[in-house]
Amino acid sequence: MAAAVRKQSCGVFLVLSSFFGLSLGLFGGGETYRRQLIVELNPGSPLPPPDGDLLHVRAVGPNDTLHFLFCSLGAPTLLIVHTNTSSSTARVNWPKFEARNISGSLKVEPESSVLDSTAVVFTRLFEYNDVNDTANATSDLFPPYELHDFNWSRLSLSGPSAVLCGAAVTFTNGSLCLQLSVFESEGRGQSWPRLLHNANASQIRVKLEGVLPRAMQSRFMLELQAVGGAYPLSRVEVHRSIDDEFTPSIFKVAQWRSEVNTSSSGSGFLQWKPVAYRRSDPALEDATPCRHSEPRPQRSEETAALSALIMAFYSRAEPFGLNVSFGMAGQPFYNSTRFLSWTALVGVGSPPVDSFSPLVLSIMAVGLGTPMILLLVGGVCVCMQKRTAPPTLAYEPIN
Amino acid sequence: MADFEERQRLLEEEDDAPLTDTQAPRGPGRPLPAICDPSHLLHRVVVLVFMCFLGFGSYFCYDNPAALQTQVIQDLNLNTAKFMQLYAWYSWPNVVLCFFGGFMIDRVFGIRLGTVIFSLFVCGGQIIFATGALVNRFWLMEVGRFVFGIGGESLAVAQNTYAVNWFKGKELNLVFGLQLSMARVGSTVNMNIMGWVYSKVATLVGSPGHTTLGASLMIASVTCLFSLICALVLAFLDKRAERILLKEQGRTGEVIKLTDVKDFPFPLWLIFIVCVGYYVAIFPFIGLGQLFFIEKFNFSPAEARAVNSIVYIISAPASPILGFMVDKTGRNVIWVMIAVIATLAAHMMLAFTFWNPWIAMSLLGVSYSLLACALWPMVAFVVPEHQLGTAYGFMQSIQNLGLALIAMAAGSILDTRGYLVLEVFFCTCICIALIAVVMLYFVDYLRGGDLNRSAAVRNRLQKEASPDSEIKRRPSQLTEGEQARLAPMSAFGLRNRYLSRLGAQLPDHCSTHVSSLAYRSVLK
């Protein structure tokens, strides 16, 4: 926290040393390398598997590869495996994978090249009746929607992004959709919250659209579980950021990481801004704040039972789970728009950090620079005038 | 005709002068109890109370949208750009009206009827505004703010005219100070109480919503009704005083001649730029402040309203002190520069740090008061007296134009780009003001102008130059007939008309107004 604040006050000095700051802001910004994306649906499977799809995106960098695996067998799961070679592959033993009872049916080879892995499982969707408008889901919880019981559609691909929609058996209409985007290079999402991403991260957008709530004053809460390879993702840091340029009125970033701050390439992370939107094409007033609970350790077997990917890849997972609840006291209920959208970044390495945009920096530079220059030029002019004119005439009116 | 009127007024004043000086009751011929005697201090204190509350409703209701920002936006499903329209619609009528408010009081309605009419506008505007919220029609609310705007600024003119009329040559400085403080009290009370009123109404109605909002605004309009009653009482008392003391009806004495605009000197245009650039970074910001403090600094709504109103709270005591300081030291340009730089620093603190906003807002409050004290009197130094009315009218007109435009721009910037860019935008406005003030400094320096002289030098120059030359100039103007009407009646009241909204204390150092007030007696 303190570090974050310090970083921001550094930002101030950057702005103050305006032109210097401008060049830094324009040309700094960290990793700008690109990855080549190779998308494959159900790799190695002769027929599309009946119960769900497995998407495999290989993001090949100059000397490493990220494997993004997204699977709808069981609860939707995203697995990222980081290897230190650009020639690693993922191999699936389909009969075993679909049987969902044995570890090792999915392997990234060569196994020695695997540096780290991170997985996120979307396990449950809670709904509660917020009678007193407190946005505290302590009581009045309806039976949760188990995401592994959903009827998931086939994955629909468009370039390096995929959409997975599903509905509980009890949904009369509406759906829960997960949109995964994998990126070749650094950039920013098109729609709010416009998270900054790099080639080491993928973005997941969760949309709850058109679902008939079970009460007029329903609010929703999403349960996530995260599995880390080397270290469990056991804490959420919330950083304050003065920069809300890309996510108006949101001054916080939450990062779910492992306790051990391993240097650079190691650990995976989840990053999100504590905001959800109540319309698909949101305006500022459609933003609704989110809160998250503290991560709690979950039982490994349970998580593995929910998700085929976890079962297949991890021999021993150390999952942590938390809830993200949408809406605060006084905010409109889900029923008002019947839409919720929440976005998170899942990646490895260090999470991207927002910096001032060139627009802000150049405006401040020009705004502060011009009076300074004017003062200097004016001062010089006045000095010249004083030197050339006799001192007694200095105050004489010109006209 | 004009000549005749002029003479008539001067004659009346001649009668007036000895009366008020001796403070002896005349007229009916029988002694009145002190509280009923218009020439007695006690009676004037009673009048002062009504005078102070005359503007209370208008100041209370002006910032109603800011005080209920979250509720207004949520209950009516607005975005910020639409919300800021409420402020823009207040400013639009005043782009034109600040040229005519004084004229209408002087020539059309007279001060008494004028005050009542403007109060009616304020009251009616607020009721339309509240009704619009009750029936959930946003356009009706905008109409309400427009009508409210028609009355609001002109009512301030009327209030000052009353003050000059009743307290000229007596406790006028104090009265202006009190009126100002009362205005600040109105704004502050509004900021801090409306949220509470809303929550009380919400529990009564059952749930928050546009009905609750409308009801709360209706309650707020009681203050306007109260001000209307004050206007009626004042009209009665003034009429009565006129009958008893045989004194004339108060006039703003302001004369607007739009062709003067082409003669405005370059420094005046720079002053206009400073004025617009500065104030557009203050009032729209306060309008949007509440949510900013809630969202960026995690303040509770009550705390956010409190910190948002600190600018007004500080300016009440700071204005007289800073005004005195500026008067004693002179060097207005330097003071303006300091004020602009301090404001820039405050905005940058709000934009780029998480420092406690009480620091930045207090700094903003002080610098805002300082600017008002130093900037507005400068106009009197750069234009001849007979153009003062036009200069101030023009200044306020473009200020209102700027406020209306920037309010709309600020709303849509916030909606699309967020608070950081909004703050950067406000910083840019301040930077433009800073550029103008730096240029003003050099232009004034090179021209050897009066703006940045110390008070001591000014006084010395004044003593050497003013009395003879001005008395000489004055009669020659009078003979010019039509021109004579353009002569300054009271640049004093004029100036104060603006200062009351803007938080400046009466510039009592400024010899121009003293001389302009003196003229009438000089020329009797």
Side-chain angles (χ1 to χ4, degrees):
Chain A
M1 193 68 165
V5 173
R6 207 173 306 132
K7 206 170 279 170
Q8 296 309 346
S9 49
C10 282
V12 179
F13 296 120
L14 271 185
V15 171
L16 287 177
S17 59
S18 42
F19 291 111
F20 178 62
L22 179 64
S23 59
L24 264 186
L26 279 177
F27 308 114
E31 304 140 302
T32 50
Y33 60 83
R34 299 177 69 86
R35 286 183 185 275
Q36 194 197 349
L37 300 183
I38 301 145
V39 183
E40 209 179 350
L41 192 59
N42 301 319
S45 167
L47 293 167
D51 300 330
D53 286 323
L54 174 68
L55 176 75
H56 177 216
V57 182
R58 275 179 72 209
V60 185
N63 45 23
D64 65 344
T65 307
L66 284 171
H67 296 269
F68 293 93
L69 292 141
F70 186 51
C71 180
S72 59
L73 238 71
T77 308
L78 173 69
L79 169 68
I80 305 177
V81 184
H82 189 198
T83 63
N84 62 6
T85 160
S86 51
S87 60
S88 59
T89 54
R91 195 176 304 279
V92 186
N93 182 339
W94 279 100
K96 284 184 181 171
F97 185 75
E98 286 175 82
R100 292 173 60 183
N101 53 12
I102 189 160
S103 169
S105 57
L106 186 146
K107 281 199 173 80
V108 173
E109 292 174 337
E111 274 184 72
S112 59
S113 70
V114 173
L115 291 172
D116 195 18
S117 63
T118 306
V120 186
V121 189
F122 297 83
T123 47
R124 280 186 196 91
L125 181 69
F126 294 100
E127 181 181 354
Y128 61 98
N129 187 6
D130 193 9
V131 189
N132 299 324
D133 195 7
T134 54
N136 258 335
T138 45
S139 57
D140 291 317
L141 269 173
F142 291 108
Y145 295 112
E146 300 282 348
L147 265 58
H148 66 270
D149 288 337
F150 271 36
N151 298 321
W152 294 104
S153 67
R154 311 301 302 191
L155 271 173
S156 74
L157 292 178
S158 60
S161 70
V163 181
L164 174 70
C165 285
V169 196
T170 52
F171 280 8
T172 45
N173 49 11
S175 62
L176 177 77
C177 291
L178 301 170
Q179 184 183 3
L180 172 77
S181 310
V182 185
F183 308 104
E184 282 184 325
S185 60
E186 199 178 61
R188 202 176 272 286
Q190 284 300 308
S191 59
W192 286 346
R194 304 202 64 194
L195 294 178
L196 180 71
H197 57 74
N198 54 28
N200 290 340
S202 61
Q203 179 180 290
I204 280 203
R205 189 172 173 213
V206 182
K207 283 194 286 187
L208 183 65
E209 195 171 2
V211 175
L212 192 70
R214 286 177 275 190
M216 287 303 284
Q217 304 201 319
S218 273
R219 290 189 196 280
F220 284 90
M221 200 158 68
L222 185 68
E223 186 191 75
L224 306 174
Q225 294 189 8
V227 180
Y231 303 100
L233 274 69
S234 56
R235 69 186 170 127
V236 177
E237 313 160 343
V238 177
H239 293 276
R240 290 213 286 179
S241 155
I242 57 170
D243 195 350
D244 72 331
E245 188 179 349
F246 298 101
T247 320
S249 84
I250 303 300
F251 292 91
K252 281 180 191 152
V253 185
Q255 286 170 2
W256 189 4
R257 308 182 67 177
S258 60
E259 193 75 55
V260 192
N261 227 338
T262 49
S263 56
S264 67
S265 65
S267 60
F269 67 87
L270 257 87
Q271 184 194 52
W272 67 89
K273 294 208 172 176
V275 62
Y277 293 95
R278 293 189 289 109
R279 275 179 215 284
S280 59
D281 185 19
L284 186 59
E285 61 274 13
D286 299 320
T288 188
C290 302
R291 284 174 307 167
H292 60 82
S293 60
E294 278 305 302
R296 291 216 192 97
Q298 309 288 314
R299 291 181 47 162
S300 170
E301 313 83 67
E302 278 177 18
T303 310
L306 293 177
S307 158
L309 258 185
I310 300 290
M311 172 63 89
F313 185 76
Y314 288 101
S315 52
R316 196 185 62 85
E318 257 192 275
F320 273 75
L322 59 71
N323 296 331
V324 178
S325 64
F326 307 112
M328 301 269 263
Q331 293 264 326
F333 300 101
Y334 177 76
N335 200 26
S336 66
T337 54
R338 296 203 185 161
F339 185 92
L340 268 178
S341 143
W342 176 77
T343 308
L345 215 59
V346 189
V348 295
S350 46
V353 179
D354 263 328
S355 56
F356 295 129
S357 68
L359 175 80
V360 167
L361 288 170
S362 48
I363 289 177
M364 288 312 292
V366 171
L368 294 176
T370 316
M372 296 294 168
I373 293 169
L374 217 67
L375 260 179
L376 278 176
V377 171
V380 169
C381 281
V382 166
C383 282
M384 300 277 274
Q385 175 130 357
K386 253 188 181 171
R387 207 172 277 183
T388 51
T392 44
L393 288 177
Y395 278 87
E396 207 68 28
I398 286 172
N399 44 354
Chain B
M1 178 63 200
D3 242 340
F4 172 75
E5 264 183 38
E6 185 76 13
R7 220 167 290 141
Q8 197 65 22
R9 222 182 305 150
L10 292 172
L11 283 173
E12 280 170 7
E13 184 159 273
E14 201 177 333
D15 290 340
D16 185 28
L19 273 177
T20 43
D21 283 347
T22 55
Q23 298 204 352
R26 299 266 177 100
R30 57 189 160 80
L32 290 163
I35 197 152
C36 301
D37 179 358
S39 63
H40 200 279
L41 176 68
L42 196 59
H43 185 75
R44 284 207 304 278
V45 169
V46 174
V47 171
L48 177 61
V49 171
F50 287 110
M51 237 178 247
C52 286
F53 279 101
L54 179 62
F56 185 82
S58 138
Y59 286 107
F60 186 92
C61 294
Y62 171 74
D63 266 330
N64 267 348
L68 293 174
Q69 191 187 358
T70 37
Q71 291 89 339
V72 170
I73 289 179
Q74 217 165 70
D75 294 347
L76 303 169
N77 283 324
L78 303 179
N79 57 25
T80 321
K82 272 187 155 179
F83 169 79
M84 287 307 277
Q85 287 280 0
L86 295 177
Y87 279 97
W89 277 109
Y90 176 89
S91 290
W92 286 125
N94 294 304
V95 174
V96 177
L97 264 184
C98 44
F99 287 118
F100 298 114
F103 173 79
M104 288 198 288
I105 288 180
D106 285 356
R107 307 273 158 177
V108 186
F109 303 130
I111 174 73
R112 291 188 283 266
L113 186 60
T115 310
V116 173
I117 287 174
F118 293 137
S119 297
L120 273 173
F121 267 109
V122 166
C123 200
Q126 178 68 18
I127 287 173
I128 296 172
F129 182 57
T131 311
L134 265 181
V135 300
N136 200 4
R137 293 283 180 280
F138 186 67
W139 62 266
L140 195 60
M141 296 180 76
E142 288 178 326
V143 171
R145 287 294 282 187
F146 184 82
V147 175
F148 184 76
I150 292 174
E153 296 294 287
S154 306
L155 190 62
V157 183
Q159 194 184 15
N160 286 324
T161 312
Y162 261 131
V164 173
N165 190 237
W166 277 85
F167 293 92
K168 187 169 64 190
K170 300 191 182 75
E171 305 88 1
L172 192 56
N173 272 322
L174 182 71
V175 169
F176 274 125
L178 274 175
Q179 283 188 348
L180 242 177
S181 303
M182 207 57 209
R184 299 288 156 256
V185 169
S187 306
T188 312
V189 170
N190 160 62
M191 283 283 189
N192 291 296
I193 210 173
M194 280 313 286
W196 178 82
V197 170
Y198 183 90
S199 62
K200 286 289 159 201
V201 175
T203 48
L204 272 180
V205 173
S207 68
H210 61 86
T211 321
T212 310
L213 182 69
S216 312
L217 292 175
M218 274 299 177
I219 292 173
S221 71
V222 171
T223 58
C224 292
L225 205 64
F226 180 59
S227 290
L228 178 63
I229 294 169
C230 286
L232 291 170
V233 172
L234 269 180
F236 168 75
L237 290 177
D238 198 59
K239 183 87 185 163
R240 180 170 166 275
E242 187 183 58
R243 188 166 42 80
I244 297 173
L245 297 181
L246 303 172
K247 71 174 188 178
E248 65 170 328
Q249 188 161 220
R251 284 167 187 276
T252 63
E254 72 181 56
V255 179
I256 305 284
K257 198 178 167 209
L258 285 175
T259 47
D260 283 347
V261 173
K262 69 181 188 321
D263 299 325
F264 284 166
F266 182 58
L268 186 62
W269 291 104
L270 289 176
I271 291 174
F272 288 167
I273 295 174
V274 176
C275 170
V276 175
Y278 188 88
Y279 283 106
V280 296
I282 302 289
F283 290 121
F285 172 71
I286 290 175
L288 291 170
Q290 195 195 340
L291 269 183
F292 175 65
F293 296 119
I294 293 176
E295 284 172 351
K296 179 161 179 179
F297 298 97
N298 295 329
F299 275 28
S300 71
E303 220 180 344
R305 280 190 284 267
V307 73
N308 207 18
S309 64
I310 191 73
V311 174
Y312 291 143
I313 297 175
I314 284 181
S315 91
S319 295
I321 298 167
L322 292 171
F324 179 78
M325 192 178 75
V326 173
D327 289 353
K328 289 299 160 207
T329 53
R331 303 207 181 278
N332 291 42
V333 183
I334 297 293
W335 286 121
V336 170
M337 209 183 287
I338 290 172
V340 171
I341 290 172
T343 308
L344 183 61
H347 264 301
M348 285 182 68
M349 265 184 230
L350 291 170
F352 298 114
T353 69
F354 277 109
W355 296 350
N356 197 325
W358 286 101
I359 304 169
M361 288 305 276
S362 306
L363 183 60
L364 199 67
V366 173
S367 53
Y368 158 85
S369 314
L370 177 61
L371 182 111
C373 295
L375 180 74
W376 291 85
M378 280 206 298
V379 177
F381 291 115
V382 293
V383 292
E385 246 181 76
H386 68 274
Q387 289 181 352
L388 261 186
T390 318
Y392 275 118
F394 196 76
M395 190 159 168
Q396 217 199 7
S397 170
I398 56 169
Q399 190 201 0
N400 272 300
L401 184 67
L403 283 177
L405 293 175
I406 299 297
M408 284 156 59
S412 43
I413 288 176
L414 176 57
D415 275 341
T416 52
R417 306 307 293 267
Y419 285 108
L420 179 76
V421 177
L422 180 69
E423 275 297 331
V424 166
F425 174 71
F426 284 143
C427 286
T428 314
C429 294
I430 299 278
C431 283
I432 290 170
L434 184 60
I435 291 169
V437 77
V438 168
M439 282 172 73
L440 183 64
Y441 177 83
F442 288 116
V443 168
D444 184 63
Y445 183 86
L446 293 175
R447 288 188 172 196
D450 196 24
L451 292 181
N452 206 25
R453 295 217 176 112
S454 69
V457 175
R458 266 181 206 157
N459 282 340
R460 187 155 47 76
L461 289 175
Q462 203 103 53
K463 260 177 219 151
E464 287 167 8
S466 71
D468 303 329
S469 60
E470 285 194 26
I471 287 172
K472 249 180 261 162
R473 181 164 55 96
R474 174 70 188 174
S476 66
Q477 272 184 355
L478 244 191
T479 58
E480 284 163 30
E482 185 60 33
Q483 187 69 24
R485 250 192 323 144
L486 299 177
M489 292 304 146
S490 102
F492 178 61
L494 226 186
R495 195 174 301 114
N496 282 296
R497 162 187 169 186
Y498 309 105
L499 302 188
S500 65
R501 166 77 71 199
L502 298 159
Q505 174 68 346
L506 179 71
D508 56 7
H509 72 283
C510 185
S511 57
T512 38
H513 71 249
V514 178
S515 64
S516 74
L517 284 179
Y519 274 143
R520 293 196 185 180
S521 44
V522 168
L523 290 171
K524 62 188 161 195

